[in-house]
């Protein structure tokens, strides 16, 4: 029942994001075509990239809650990591290309666009994105997977970027009334490049993180330390020690194998079961779907 509730909540959040992405993609696409603005085009492409990935992911969500089997020891978690890698690789490639295109535009004198129309449009988009962000943030209080967190982050970026673009084009309107009117032609390509550079950081981080998950590398040292601290806290009570800690994270699942020794070389299975359950329950406060196994370390 708990997993079913999580799945319904995740689908609700992804559906809200899907509808919002479609609406903003269409409106930004139309305005980018009418105004010839690369800043609006950047926003539109970002929404298209997100939209392309949301659709297939909605079909994947039920599979992420299926139990692991011998045939699929990691379930479908790695598919989620693969989705994130593909999504951000596409976004990264498009972003780099747009940066280059706008550098060429600046080298050829900039681009004149209707700054007033874009400024007010982006202000309306900012308010719309803020509403979607608040809705996602509200529903994610019950449950937030890595994918949901990524969606919320994207909408947060949309709010900030739309507000920034709106302010930039209000500045362009002011420039037209001053002796620096010639600089107004550079506002659109400069804003597009700044937006693209800001968007480069997250894709690179997410690609590296999820590639590590795909090849089953150990997680970050901070995560290892958290798990070790929790395990040691409970194991000290029954005089067991950690011989070796093996942690694998892929997608939303975390596998923890603790190879252990006893002070008196005796292992009580009843204590072992209780210890495993206590460690697992505490780790569930920090990790989404966590599996814990305690393995007695045997001498060579």
């Amino acid at each position: 029942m708990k997993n079913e509730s999580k799945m319904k909540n995740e689908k609700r959040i992804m559906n809200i994001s899907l509808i919002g992405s479609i609406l903003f993609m269409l409106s930004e696409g139309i305005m980018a075509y009418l105004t010839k603005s690369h800043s609006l085009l950047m926003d539109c492409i970002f929404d298209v990239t997100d939209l392309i990935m949301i659709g297939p992911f909605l079909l994947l969500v039920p599979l992420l809650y299926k139990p692991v089997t011998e045939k699929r020891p990691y379930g479908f978690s790695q598919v989620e990591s693969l989705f994130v890698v593909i999504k951000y690789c596409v976004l990264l490639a498009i972003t780099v290309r747009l940066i280059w295109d706008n550098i060429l535009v600046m080298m050829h004198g900039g681009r004149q666009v209707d700054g007033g129309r874009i400024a007010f449009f982006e202000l309306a988009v900012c308010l719309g994105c803020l509403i979607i962000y608040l809705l996602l943030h509200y529903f994610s209080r019950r449950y937030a997977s890595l994918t949901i967190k990524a969606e919320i982050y994207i909408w947060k970026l949309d709010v900030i970027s739309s507000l920034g673009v709106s302010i930039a084009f209000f500045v362009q309107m002011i420039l037209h009334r001053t002796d620096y009117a010639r600089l107004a032609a550079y506002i659109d390509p400069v804003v597009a490049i700044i937006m693209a550079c800001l968007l480069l950081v997250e894709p690179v981080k997410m690609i590296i993180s999820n590639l590590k998950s795909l090849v089953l590398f150990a997680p970050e040292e901070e995560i290892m330390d958290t798990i070790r601290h929790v395990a040691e806290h409970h194991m000290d009570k029954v005089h067991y020690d950690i011989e070796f800690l093996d942690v694998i994270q892929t997608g939303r699942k975390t596998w923890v194998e603790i190879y252990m020794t006893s002070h008196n070389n005796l292992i009580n299975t009843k204590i072992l079961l209780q210890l495993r359950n206590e460690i697992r329950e505490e780790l569930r406060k920090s990790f989404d779907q966590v599996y814990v196994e305690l393995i007695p370390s045997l001498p060579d």
Side-chain angles (χ1 to χ4, degrees), residues 3 7 59-69 72-77 253 255 289 291:
N3 279 344
M7 185 172 69
L59 300 176
L60 176 65
V61 168
L63 300 178
L64 296 175
Y65 290 90
K66 287 185 175 293
V68 297
T69 63
R72 296 186 180 89
Y74 298 106
F76 290 86
S77 297
K253 289 183 169 64
W255 280 267
Q289 297 179 24
Y291 303 83

Side-chain angles (χ1 to χ4, degrees), residues 5-6 9-10 12-13 133-145 148-149 152 285:
S5 176
K6 284 184 178 181
N9 194 54
E10 186 162 11
R12 182 190 294 119
I13 291 172
Y133 170 75
L134 292 175
L135 279 172
L136 297 187
H137 193 267
Y138 172 77
F139 286 116
S140 68
R141 291 186 305 172
R142 299 177 187 174
Y143 171 65
S145 66
I148 291 175
K149 288 177 181 177
I152 293 174
K285 298 174 184 177

Side-chain angles (χ1 to χ4, degrees), residues 212-279:
K212 286 183 178 180
S213 292
L214 280 173
V215 295
L216 306 180
F217 278 5
E220 300 294 330
E221 193 65 33
E222 183 181 352
I223 293 173
M224 294 291 290
D225 289 342
T226 299
I227 295 171
R228 187 181 298 276
H229 175 74
V230 170
E232 286 179 343
H233 172 71
H234 290 281
M235 292 174 71
D236 284 345
K237 299 176 185 177
V238 291
H239 307 294
Y240 290 167
D241 294 321
I242 297 176
E243 183 79 11
F244 179 74
L245 183 64
D246 185 18
V247 180
I248 292 175
Q249 275 192 320
T250 175
R252 64 190 60 193
K253 289 183 169 64
T254 304
W255 280 267
V256 179
E257 290 184 348
I258 304 171
Y259 293 84
M260 45 166 287
T261 57
S262 170
H263 289 189
N264 57 8
N265 294 322
L266 295 176
I267 301 291
N268 185 308
T269 55
K270 186 176 180 180
I271 293 176
L272 202 63
L273 178 62
Q274 182 180 347
L275 183 61
R276 191 275 307 272
N277 292 340
E278 288 176 355
I279 294 172

Side-chain angles (χ1 to χ4, degrees), residues 26-46:
L26 291 174
S27 60
E28 287 167 350
I30 292 170
M31 282 299 290
Y33 175 77
L34 293 176
T35 61
K36 311 300 180 187
S37 168
H38 274 207
S39 298
L40 292 181
L41 180 62
M42 185 69 214
D43 262 351
C44 181
I45 288 172
F46 194 78

Side-chain angles (χ1 to χ4, degrees), residues 47-289:
D47 287 339
V48 169
T49 307
D50 193 37
L51 188 62
I52 290 171
M53 300 309 295
I54 290 177
F57 185 76
L58 282 171
L59 300 176
L60 176 65
V61 168
L63 300 178
L64 296 175
Y65 290 90
K66 287 185 175 293
V68 297
T69 63
E70 288 186 359
K71 185 178 180 181
R72 296 186 180 89
Y74 298 106
F76 290 86
S77 297
Q78 286 179 292
V79 180
E80 183 177 13
S81 295
L82 182 61
F83 256 77
V84 174
V85 169
I86 294 172
K87 173 179 178 176
Y88 282 105
C89 279
V90 172
L91 183 60
L92 186 63
I94 293 171
T95 303
V96 170
R97 177 56 191 266
L98 275 172
I99 290 174
W100 176 246
D101 286 347
N102 281 282
I103 289 173
L104 292 178
V105 167
M106 291 181 65
M107 292 172 63
H108 291 84
R111 182 190 300 109
Q112 291 288 352
V113 293
D114 187 345
R117 186 191 293 185
I118 296 172
F120 285 107
F121 172 77
E122 282 294 317
L123 195 57
V125 169
C126 177
L127 292 175
C129 290
L130 181 61
I131 291 171
I132 300 291
Y133 170 75
L134 292 175
L135 279 172
L136 297 187
H137 193 267
Y138 172 77
F139 286 116
S140 68
R141 291 186 305 172
R142 299 177 187 174
Y143 171 65
S145 66
L146 289 174
T147 306
I148 291 175
K149 288 177 181 177
E151 284 301 310
I152 293 174
Y153 178 82
I154 287 171
W155 283 102
K156 184 179 179 179
L157 277 183
D158 280 341
V159 172
I160 296 170
S161 63
S162 299
L163 181 61
V165 172
S166 179
I167 292 171
F169 282 100
F170 277 122
V171 170
Q172 187 201 54
M173 292 169 62
I174 296 171
L175 279 176
H176 277 301
R177 298 184 177 90
T178 68
D179 296 335
Y180 302 99
R182 66 184 184 280
L183 297 178
Y186 293 95
I187 293 293
D188 186 63
V190 167
V191 168
I193 290 172
I194 291 173
M195 286 173 62
C197 288
L198 291 174
L199 292 174
L200 279 176
V201 178
E202 186 65 16
V204 171
K205 286 168 60 179
M206 292 300 288
I207 288 169
I208 293 172
S209 173
N210 283 276
L211 280 177
K212 286 183 178 180
S213 292
L214 280 173
V215 295
L216 306 180
F217 278 5
E220 300 294 330
E221 193 65 33
E222 183 181 352
I223 293 173
M224 294 291 290
D225 289 342
T226 299
I227 295 171
R228 187 181 298 276
H229 175 74
V230 170
E232 286 179 343
H233 172 71
H234 290 281
M235 292 174 71
D236 284 345
K237 299 176 185 177
V238 291
H239 307 294
Y240 290 167
D241 294 321
I242 297 176
E243 183 79 11
F244 179 74
L245 183 64
D246 185 18
V247 180
I248 292 175
Q249 275 192 320
T250 175
R252 64 190 60 193
K253 289 183 169 64
T254 304
W255 280 267
V256 179
E257 290 184 348
I258 304 171
Y259 293 84
M260 45 166 287
T261 57
S262 170
H263 289 189
N264 57 8
N265 294 322
L266 295 176
I267 301 291
N268 185 308
T269 55
K270 186 176 180 180
I271 293 176
L272 202 63
L273 178 62
Q274 182 180 347
L275 183 61
R276 191 275 307 272
N277 292 340
E278 288 176 355
I279 294 172
R280 184 173 58 191
E281 284 306 309
E282 186 165 348
L283 289 177
R284 279 176 176 170
K285 298 174 184 177
S286 305
F287 301 93
D288 186 3
Q289 297 179 24

